[in-house]
Amino acid sequence: MDLGLKGKRALVMGASKGLGRSIADALAAEGAALVVSGRDQASLDKVAAELKAAGAASAKGVVADVAKGEQMDALADAAVAAMGGVDILVLNHGGPPPCIASEITDAALHTWFEQIVASPIRIANRLIPEMRKRGWGRVLVVGSSGMQHPIPNLALSNTLRSAIWGWLKTYSGEAAKDGVTMNIIAPGSIMTDRITQNAESRAAKAGGTVEAELAKMAQEIPAGRIGTPDEFGPMGAFLVSEQAGYITGSMIRVDGGRVRSML
C-alpha cells in the first residue's frame, strides 16, 4: 500500500530512540522528509543519517527539551526552516517516574505537566494553524494505554496523559473540517527503556528480579509477550497517511490485547 507520504514533511519529537524512533523509521521508509528532536545533538545526527539511508527525502536533528516550553517555539521554527513547513507533527516525550497515586507531589505534578501537557500543546498551537490553512495535516500523540486503563504504579502518567487526551479530543473536532486529523497511538508493553524502568521499579518493590517482572508483564498480555518497536512504528505511519484521512479524535491501541475495554 502506498501511504501517500512521499515528500510529506514530518516533525517527530523524542525520536532519538524508542517509540519516537520507530515512527521516524516507518516515515523514512515511506519517503517522508523528517526533522527529529531530542536532547543530544550527536545522537540526533546519527539518527538523521540512518533515516536518510533508509529512504527519507531529507532528515535533520534539532535539539529541543520538551521539559522547557520556550524551546518548543524554536523547534517549530527550525522544522519550518528546514523543510519549508510541517505537514505531520508527532508529539512524543518521555514519561514520569513510576509512583502510586498517594506519592504524587506538587513539584512532580508541575514539572511533568510542562512536559506531557503544556509543551505539546504549545508546539501544536504553532503548527496546526498552517496545516488548517493548507487543508491537510496530521497530528499524532504517542500516548499510553493508561489513558483508558490506568496502569498500577504509573499514577502520574495516568493523570497527566488523560489531560492531553481531553485536549486532543476537543481540538480534533475543531480541525477536522480543514483536513487535519488528530489521533493518539497508545502503546501497551513495547520493549523500550520505559518498560525496563517500570520492571525495575516493580522488582524493587517486590524484592524480585527485573527478568521476573518482565515475564509477569508478558503473562498479563493476551498475546503472551511484550511487543517490539517494529510492531509500533508502522501503525503510526498509517495514522498520519492519506488513507487515514477519515480517522480523527481516536485512540488506537497497540497493546497485544491488554486493554479489554470495548470503548
Side-chain angles (χ1 to χ4, degrees), residues 10-13 19-20 22-24 26-27 87-93 120 123-124 128 131 137-143 147 164 167-168 180-187 232-241 244 247-254:
L11 168 57
V12 183
M13 295 169 58
L19 301 180
S22 73
I23 293 175
L27 294 175
D87 304 304
I88 298 164
L89 172 61
V90 179
L91 297 169
N92 176 53
H93 45 72
I123 194 167
I128 292 175
M131 295 180 188
R138 302 286 186 265
V139 178
L140 183 66
V141 171
V142 178
M147 291 168 157
I164 204 71
W167 165 80
L168 180 139
V180 176
T181 71
M182 302 177 67
N183 294 293
I184 291 176
I185 179 171
F232 183 83
M235 177 54 74
F238 173 74
L239 289 172
V240 300
S241 71
I247 302 172
T248 195
S250 295
M251 182 186 300
I252 307 300
R253 298 190 298 269
V254 183

Side-chain angles (χ1 to χ4, degrees), residues 13 33 36 58 60 71 118 172 178 204 214 218 261:
M13 295 169 58
V36 292
S58 64
K60 180 179 181 179
Q71 293 189 14
S172 65
D178 298 318
L214 289 172
S261 171

Side-chain angles (χ1 to χ4, degrees), residues 58-257:
S58 64
K60 180 179 181 179
V62 176
V63 170
D65 186 350
V66 73
K68 299 175 181 178
E70 68 278 4
Q71 293 189 14
M72 297 299 95
D73 298 334
L75 175 58
D77 291 343
V80 170
M83 300 184 293
V86 174
D87 304 304
I88 298 164
L89 172 61
V90 179
L91 297 169
N92 176 53
H93 45 72
C99 71
I100 59 176
S102 61
E103 294 173 342
I104 295 176
T105 64
D106 286 349
L109 192 61
H110 290 188
T111 295
W112 286 97
F113 179 86
E114 183 74 23
Q115 183 162 323
I116 294 177
V117 182
S119 286
I121 290 176
R122 182 167 179 164
I123 194 167
N125 283 341
R126 287 290 297 270
L127 296 173
I128 292 175
E130 289 301 315
M131 295 180 188
R132 297 178 74 176
K133 287 179 184 178
R134 292 192 297 269
W136 199 97
R138 302 286 186 265
V139 178
L140 183 66
V141 171
V142 178
S144 166
S145 59
M147 291 168 157
Q148 285 187 310
H149 181 86
I151 301 170
N153 205 38
L154 291 182
L156 191 54
S157 176
N158 297 336
T159 300
L160 294 175
R161 291 186 192 276
S162 296
I164 204 71
W165 178 209
W167 165 80
L168 180 139
K169 188 65 174 177
T170 303
Y171 203 163
S172 65
E174 300 170 8
K177 65 181 182 299
D178 298 318
V180 176
T181 71
M182 302 177 67
N183 294 293
I184 291 176
I185 179 171
S189 295
I190 307 292
M191 187 53 73
T192 63
D193 291 346
R194 176 70 166 168
I195 291 299
T196 302
Q197 181 188 46
N198 194 26
E200 289 171 349
S201 176
R202 287 172 51 158
K205 288 180 181 292
T209 66
V210 172
E211 292 74 18
E213 291 302 325
L214 289 172
K216 288 179 185 177
M217 288 182 187
Q219 291 172 2
E220 296 166 0
I221 303 167
R225 62 182 178 84
I226 293 173
T228 69
D230 288 343
E231 295 174 301
F232 183 83
M235 177 54 74
F238 173 74
L239 289 172
V240 300
S241 71
E242 289 280 5
Q243 284 82 352
Y246 204 57
I247 302 172
T248 195
S250 295
M251 182 186 300
I252 307 300
R253 298 190 298 269
V254 183
D255 69 349

